[in-house]
Amino acid sequence: NAESTLIITVVGASGDLAKKKIFPALFALYYEDFLPENFTVFGYARTKLTDDELRNMICGTLTCRIDKRENCEEKMDQFLKRCFYHSGQYNSEEHFAELDEKLKEKEGEKLSCRLFYLSIPPDKFVDVVRCASLKASSGNGWTRVIVEKPFGRDSESSGELTKCLKQYLNEDQIFRIDHYLGKELVENLSVLRFSNLVFEPLWSSNYIRNVQFIFSEDFGTEGRGGYFDKYGIIRDIMQNHLLQMLALFAMETPVSLDAEDIRNEKVKVLRSMKPLQLEDVVVGQYKGQSTGGKTCPGYTDDPTIPNDSLTPTFAAAALFINNARWDGVPFLMKAGKALHTRRAEIRVQFRHVPGNLYKRNFGTDLDKATNELVLRVQPDEAIYLRINNKVPGLGMRLDRSDLNLLFRSRYPKEIPDAYERILLDAIEGERRLFIRSDELDAAWALFTPVLKELEEKRIAPELYLYGSRGPVGAHYLAAKYNVRWGDLS
Ligand code: BG6
């Protein structure tokens, strides 16, 4: 309201994430009138820049929505006028005290709300949180800090990080992002399940045979090798993005839509998971390939990556939930870089219809007749249900067809970027899409033993060609549990 001010400080403002995602998301919120009247954006980083240099740096990345209003340029100018810059070291209390002076100047006598977005390498988190909380937190309103993974490399380092952050911040000031939770289709998962009678009663091992969480990218780790080699695909994608989707998918009905109620249920599912075994994990690494005059470099061809690196760029895993609802249902995950396609989806394969009258129409392969519900998170968001249908005509031929809800046809409006939703929620203090520390502990508890074993035993990843469908090991793993990966994968 008119009596308060909001200042968002992007720490690490000159980095890639800030340029590509955070400033554009802030502008989109401004453009759509979601930001309060008195808001200011500060960039903070080590690079020396003036306010105008920051504005020049970010203006090229701002875009108006497709349904753009006449005043797009004008809105950009207004937004840029509210952006300022302060250069400083990440571990200097003195530099944060200088920033504080600038923030106070903007705030005047008003109630001050300060949001810090840490878009910096994880080894700087604690320094920045210390300096910001000691020298630049709000005197009369709230101070919140958004942090983005990696939150440690395993249970131990993550616990240590949480402990250090909590020396300076309360849990309710820490907003741990998993940007997949901000994706439209992931938000829609609970709506689909809990508000549709045709799905809710089916959501258990009685009707569901297996569930697949698939993430694939058609590009490698180009330019991010230094970061990636320390973490690998299990820590980069599975332990967070895919596991968060799994928890939302499998949780019991929360008492309400309140953040605490939802997160309580997610933690319960994560704690009910059977410890992951090494034999239920397949790892791979892409190698280079030249086709049609185009050369795609292998993972270790990147000069920042050691030639003998065993870091997986692909992984598949079979997980199980030990509770009454999901007993015996395989939850399969697959995540990979440099594969043949870019895609993220959740696939739910249902059981066979008992005594299927039409089984002879499917020959010996009854799997071809199972219903499948697919949530395509990206690209081209869609929800579709594979059903069996009679091919029109005098004979009796069956065909699998899709009941297809393609978002771009049904809702022609552009879908907001995940970062917009996440930032808006942090501003509004809505914690539903952020990871609580006990959730984080449970997620690490599931993956840490296997990660340690992979590293200690120096398990060599199965090599796969850049642009291929990934290691065949993933198919054997699925077959072990009588599962076939869904189409295209
Ligand atoms: C990030 C990972 O969290 O998610 C990246 O660190 C990955 O490796 C990215 O490329 C994928 O996000 P999106 O939104 O493009 O699917």
Side-chain angles (χ1 to χ4, degrees), residues 120-354:
I120 46 173
D123 58 347
K124 309 275 183 300
F125 283 173
V126 178
D127 278 337
V128 169
V129 165
R130 174 175 53 82
C131 298
S133 69
L134 295 178
K135 298 294 171 187
S137 46
S138 159
N140 59 4
W142 52 253
T143 304
R144 294 178 188 146
V145 178
I146 300 184
V147 280
E148 193 148 1
K149 68 159 210 335
F151 310 120
R153 291 187 80 253
D154 49 24
S155 292
E156 210 185 342
S157 50
S158 162
E160 189 56 31
L161 177 65
T162 304
K163 208 168 96 199
C164 292
L165 295 182
K166 285 192 178 169
Q167 278 181 281
Y168 305 103
L169 300 170
N170 300 324
E171 175 68 18
D172 66 3
Q173 294 181 281
I174 307 174
F175 286 69
R176 296 180 194 82
I177 283 196
D178 185 310
H179 79 282
Y180 264 61
L181 293 181
K183 296 205 182 245
E184 189 61 42
L185 265 276
V186 179
E187 272 260 89
N188 209 352
L189 177 57
S190 298
V191 178
L192 185 76
R193 171 179 171 192
F194 294 119
S195 73
N196 289 295
L197 189 71
V198 291
F199 293 123
E200 207 283 331
L202 304 186
W203 227 254
S204 75
S205 61
N206 292 339
Y207 300 101
I208 291 179
R209 241 167 36 131
N210 68 74
V211 190
Q212 306 174 11
F213 298 86
I214 300 171
F215 168 95
S216 95
E217 274 179 345
D218 55 1
F219 48 89
T221 57
E222 295 97 314
R224 293 175 75 224
Y227 151 80
F228 195 87
D229 204 55
K230 281 201 214 104
Y231 292 92
I233 199 83
I234 297 180
R235 294 183 178 92
D236 191 46
I237 304 290
M238 270 193 180
Q239 182 267 359
N240 33 74
H241 304 329
L242 297 192
L243 191 61
Q244 282 298 320
M245 294 202 281
L246 183 150
L248 270 182
F249 181 95
M251 70 183 180
E252 295 298 311
T253 314
V255 175
S256 76
L257 290 174
D258 275 5
E260 295 321 313
D261 289 334
I262 295 176
R263 297 192 295 182
N264 287 344
E265 294 307 329
K266 282 166 66 197
V267 175
K268 261 181 10 204
V269 174
L270 295 176
R271 290 207 181 129
S272 314
M273 297 195 70
K274 184 180 147 207
L276 180 60
Q277 309 292 323
L278 188 59
E279 59 266 26
D280 282 335
V281 176
V282 169
V283 285
Q285 190 186 79
Y286 65 89
K287 57 181 179 180
Q289 118 141 312
S290 305
T291 38
K294 197 179 153 220
T295 306
C296 299
Y299 177 66
T300 54
D301 294 336
D302 180 333
T304 62
I305 294 170
N307 286 335
D308 59 352
S309 169
L310 298 178
T311 301
T313 58
F314 174 99
L319 298 141
F320 292 88
I321 302 171
N322 284 334
N323 67 14
R325 183 184 290 274
W326 296 115
D327 192 26
V329 176
F331 285 79
L332 295 191
M333 286 183 179
K334 181 155 78 164
K337 302 238 169 214
L339 295 172
H340 70 300
T341 184
R342 174 173 177 259
R343 195 161 51 109
E345 62 187 22
I346 304 174
R347 301 185 82 98
V348 188
Q349 295 186 344
F350 291 89
R351 293 193 179 281
H352 305 304
V353 177

Side-chain angles (χ1 to χ4, degrees), residues 267-453:
V267 175
K268 261 181 10 204
V269 174
L270 295 176
R271 290 207 181 129
S272 314
M273 297 195 70
K274 184 180 147 207
L276 180 60
Q277 309 292 323
L278 188 59
E279 59 266 26
D280 282 335
V281 176
V282 169
V283 285
Q285 190 186 79
Y286 65 89
K287 57 181 179 180
Q289 118 141 312
S290 305
T291 38
K294 197 179 153 220
T295 306
C296 299
Y299 177 66
T300 54
D301 294 336
D302 180 333
T304 62
I305 294 170
N307 286 335
D308 59 352
S309 169
L310 298 178
T311 301
T313 58
F314 174 99
L319 298 141
F320 292 88
I321 302 171
N322 284 334
N323 67 14
R325 183 184 290 274
W326 296 115
D327 192 26
V329 176
F331 285 79
L332 295 191
M333 286 183 179
K334 181 155 78 164
K337 302 238 169 214
L339 295 172
H340 70 300
T341 184
R342 174 173 177 259
R343 195 161 51 109
E345 62 187 22
I346 304 174
R347 301 185 82 98
V348 188
Q349 295 186 344
F350 291 89
R351 293 193 179 281
H352 305 304
V353 177
N356 191 336
L357 266 185
Y358 291 95
K359 58 174 168 262
R360 71 188 176 84
N361 295 75
F362 295 101
T364 49
D365 194 356
L366 264 190
D367 281 1
K368 281 199 188 137
T370 54
N371 295 128
E372 196 174 11
L373 173 69
V374 182
L375 277 85
R376 191 163 65 225
V377 176
Q378 66 191 29
D380 212 8
E381 292 82 347
I383 299 175
Y384 55 96
L385 180 64
R386 307 224 122 156
I387 57 158
N388 299 308
N389 192 46
K390 179 179 169 302
V391 178
L394 297 180
M396 177 53 77
R397 211 156 54 78
L398 300 198
D399 177 35
R400 281 184 92 193
S401 354
D402 294 340
L403 299 179
N404 195 354
L405 172 60
L406 189 60
F407 276 47
R408 79 181 134 78
S409 317
R410 178 73 180 89
Y411 310 103
K413 201 169 179 301
E414 204 178 316
I415 293 178
D417 188 77
Y419 280 87
E420 293 172 39
R421 187 184 318 274
I422 298 263
L423 273 160
L424 184 60
D425 279 3
I427 293 167
E428 291 179 346
E430 164 60 77
R431 292 181 173 75
R432 199 166 36 97
L433 302 182
F434 296 90
I435 316 296
R436 215 165 58 184
S437 69
D438 53 350
E439 264 185 277
L440 182 62
D441 293 347
W444 275 124
L446 183 63
F447 282 100
T448 297
V450 152
L451 285 164
K452 288 229 157 95
E453 223 179 318

